[in-house]
Amino acid sequence: MYSDVLFYDRREAGLKLAESLSSHIGKNMLVLALPRGGVPVAHEVAKVFSLPLDVLLVRKLGVPGQEELAMGAIATGGVSLPNREVVEQLGITTGIFHEVEAREADILRQREQTYRQGRPPLNLKGRNVILVDDGLATGSTMQAAVATARNLHASSITVAAPVGSKPACKSMLESADEVVCYATPDPFISVGRWYVNFDQTTDEEVLETLSDSALMRRD
């Protein structure tokens, strides 16, 4: 039986997630956060295990008028994954999908430039990566992140989140090598439902966190 909330904020969520990840830590590992909300969570995980931290850019493609509902996601490297169930159920046309996709791709490119601060693109070849977000609702953005990591030839991929819906966490098993969801409450409702403080993470906070983590990074 779950209490009203699971975490005070993303920092606490990261510490609790680290507890669940302790048996999954191995050699040549890299923690990759999904900005923006996944960054403070991933930062705590990276600190606990003294692992390098970086970001993998992903953008949700929200349904027009229902932006919190994902009809797909895009990620670094040109990955685009539609949520076919949502697209078909809502009758989303190809034109509408591509319009949203193009708009979000512009934002993704801008943030990629902002967050990398001149650092080279991700090199995941031979790395064992842990992909971290602050929660999994549908799993659309995380699926895009996994696809990107595969395209970049990561040796293994562990998906990790403090909280997620049971269907989302289960679906990740089809694409990731390992999945660690600290909690899967039912009914799930939303990611923010399980945090006391779920304020939006800002670009400034992301940059500050990545700067703080610079000594842990080994590019």
Side-chain angles (χ1 to χ4, degrees), residues 2-74:
Y2 290 96
S3 60
D4 288 341
V5 293
L6 294 168
F7 321 108
Y8 175 72
D9 57 11
R10 291 180 177 88
R11 178 181 179 279
E12 182 182 338
L15 291 172
K16 289 190 175 181
L17 178 60
E19 296 173 8
S20 297
L21 280 166
S22 59
S23 63
H24 299 264
I25 303 302
K27 295 182 179 179
N28 200 26
M29 300 203 84
L30 170 66
V31 179
L32 288 177
L34 275 61
R36 289 180 290 195
V39 173
V41 180
H43 186 216
E44 297 304 323
V45 171
K47 284 198 299 183
V48 167
F49 299 111
S50 299
L51 294 174
L53 172 69
D54 213 320
V55 291
L56 194 159
L57 273 289
V58 181
R59 292 291 296 176
K60 177 174 65 177
L61 303 180
V63 174
Q66 303 178 63
E67 278 69 21
E68 288 304 310
L69 178 60
M71 62 179 181
I74 58 173

Side-chain angles (χ1 to χ4, degrees), residues 53-109:
L53 172 69
D54 213 320
V55 291
L56 194 159
L57 273 289
V58 181
R59 292 291 296 176
K60 177 174 65 177
L61 303 180
V63 174
Q66 303 178 63
E67 278 69 21
E68 288 304 310
L69 178 60
M71 62 179 181
I74 58 173
T76 294
V79 168
S80 179
L81 292 178
N83 185 325
R84 301 196 182 281
E85 182 178 354
V86 172
V87 169
E88 292 173 4
Q89 284 183 352
L90 298 181
I92 304 295
T93 66
T94 300
I96 290 175
F97 185 90
H98 288 323
E99 181 181 339
V100 174
E101 182 183 46
R103 183 174 66 246
E104 294 297 332
D106 284 341
I107 296 173
L108 188 147
R109 283 190 291 270

Side-chain angles (χ1 to χ4, degrees), residues 87-218:
V87 169
E88 292 173 4
Q89 284 183 352
L90 298 181
I92 304 295
T93 66
T94 300
I96 290 175
F97 185 90
H98 288 323
E99 181 181 339
V100 174
E101 182 183 46
R103 183 174 66 246
E104 294 297 332
D106 284 341
I107 296 173
L108 188 147
R109 283 190 291 270
Q110 292 167 10
R111 288 191 175 166
E112 183 89 41
Q113 186 176 21
T114 298
Y115 295 162
R116 299 215 69 75
Q117 294 283 289
R119 290 185 293 113
L122 283 174
N123 179 8
L124 303 185
K125 188 173 183 180
R127 303 299 294 269
N128 299 307
V129 302
I130 304 174
L131 296 172
V132 179
D133 206 353
D134 55 11
L136 299 177
T138 66
S140 292
T141 53
M142 185 61 82
Q143 291 284 7
V146 171
T148 297
R150 291 286 183 211
N151 289 347
L152 294 176
H153 308 294
S155 289
S156 69
I157 301 170
T158 298
V159 165
V163 64
S165 69
K166 288 183 178 180
C169 292
K170 183 178 180 180
S171 71
M172 296 311 308
L173 291 169
E174 299 173 6
S175 55
D177 297 295
E178 294 183 296
V179 178
V180 177
C181 290
Y182 174 82
T184 54
D186 188 16
F188 177 72
I189 305 175
S190 68
V191 173
R193 164 70 176 79
W194 304 101
Y195 288 80
V196 173
N197 180 353
F198 198 63
D199 292 344
Q200 187 177 61
T201 303
T202 66
D203 285 340
E204 291 74 18
E205 288 171 327
V206 170
L207 290 172
E208 183 180 353
T209 299
L210 292 176
S211 177
D212 287 345
S213 303
L215 293 177
M216 289 192 292
R217 284 200 300 268
R218 297 187 292 275

